[in-house]
Amino acid sequence: MRKNIKSLTIFSVLAVAAIIFISITAFSTQSINVLGTSQVTNTKSGTEVALLSSEMNDYENQVASMINNIRVDNGLNAIAADRVLNEVAGIRSADLINRNYFSHYTPEGTNVFDVMRDNGVSYRYAGENLAQSAPASIGTPEGFINAWVNSPTHLANILRPQYTKIGVSMVEVDSRRVVTTVFTN
């Protein structure tokens, strides 16, 4: 009897937790979502959203600086902003916004590594972290960085010692903000 009560209690706690999670998920109008890729080793569009320039704006510089602070705090070298990687990140962010999806793969099945290849980027190690927020205003640099740091795959991408370059792009339309970070060696 005692074993049945213990099992029933554990089941009840799990059921309540599931209901709370579903309630938060179903009724929350504010969210930050993140996606991070694994690294790739030994690998070598036109958009509606206008890309500001190949240089990072203040928001993007904050994201890159925060990533560098995390790297340095963990005994790694800071990584340098790269003009072409900023363009690659911009292409990715604009595509995610313009075609209203959130994935490392386009609807056609291509990914950031295809965009890098199309833009003449060669690398031995590369990765991509994505984040989006709705409403856009909750997608602060700190909010996205915290989400990435609290995700093992994103943090692993940030802390990959082989990376020496970064590109960052933030695109916002209506109530949605997307940030793409691209890393290479």
Side-chain angles (χ1 to χ4, degrees):
M1 179 72 171
R2 178 169 264 192
K3 186 176 182 182
N4 289 341
I5 291 173
K6 187 175 182 181
S7 296
L8 184 58
T9 302
I10 291 170
F11 176 78
S12 298
V13 169
L14 291 174
V16 170
I19 290 169
I20 291 170
F21 175 76
I22 291 168
S23 298
I24 290 170
T25 304
F27 298 107
S28 176
T29 58
Q30 298 185 356
S31 66
I32 292 179
N33 299 345
V34 295
L35 290 175
T37 63
S38 300
Q39 72 279 355
V40 171
T41 305
N42 292 328
T43 307
K44 188 179 175 199
S45 74
T47 59
E48 295 169 27
V49 173
L51 304 177
L52 299 175
S53 74
S54 61
E55 301 300 317
M56 289 190 274
N57 63 32
D58 288 343
Y59 183 101
E60 295 158 346
N61 273 312
Q62 285 182 334
V63 170
S65 293
M66 294 170 101
I67 287 171
N68 273 332
N69 288 340
I70 292 166
R71 289 179 60 84
V72 169
D73 288 348
N74 284 276
L76 299 171
N77 292 333
I79 52 181
D82 181 84
R83 181 186 57 80
V84 177
L85 291 183
N86 288 338
E87 292 173 8
V88 167
I91 290 167
R92 290 286 294 135
S93 289
D95 192 52
L96 292 164
I97 286 283
N98 290 334
R99 298 200 299 161
N100 198 29
Y101 70 97
F102 188 63
S103 171
H104 288 293
Y105 292 92
T106 68
E108 298 78 29
T110 62
N111 59 32
V112 70
F113 308 113
D114 297 305
V115 177
M116 285 185 204
R117 184 182 58 252
D118 293 346
N119 284 276
V121 176
S122 60
Y123 53 87
R124 183 170 180 151
Y125 299 95
E128 172 186 67
N129 281 354
L130 299 175
Q132 71 174 354
S133 64
S137 60
I138 67 168
T140 63
E142 296 84 4
F144 286 147
I145 293 294
N146 287 336
W148 285 330
V149 166
N150 289 314
S151 164
T153 57
H154 296 93
L155 184 58
N157 242 356
I158 290 169
L159 296 177
R160 186 140 179 93
Q162 291 86 355
Y163 293 153
T164 58
K165 300 176 188 174
I166 187 171
V168 181
S169 172
M170 184 275 290
V171 175
E172 180 179 321
V173 172
D174 299 325
S175 64
R176 183 173 174 223
R177 178 175 290 167
V178 171
V179 173
T180 301
T181 58
V182 180
F183 306 93
T184 66
N185 62 318

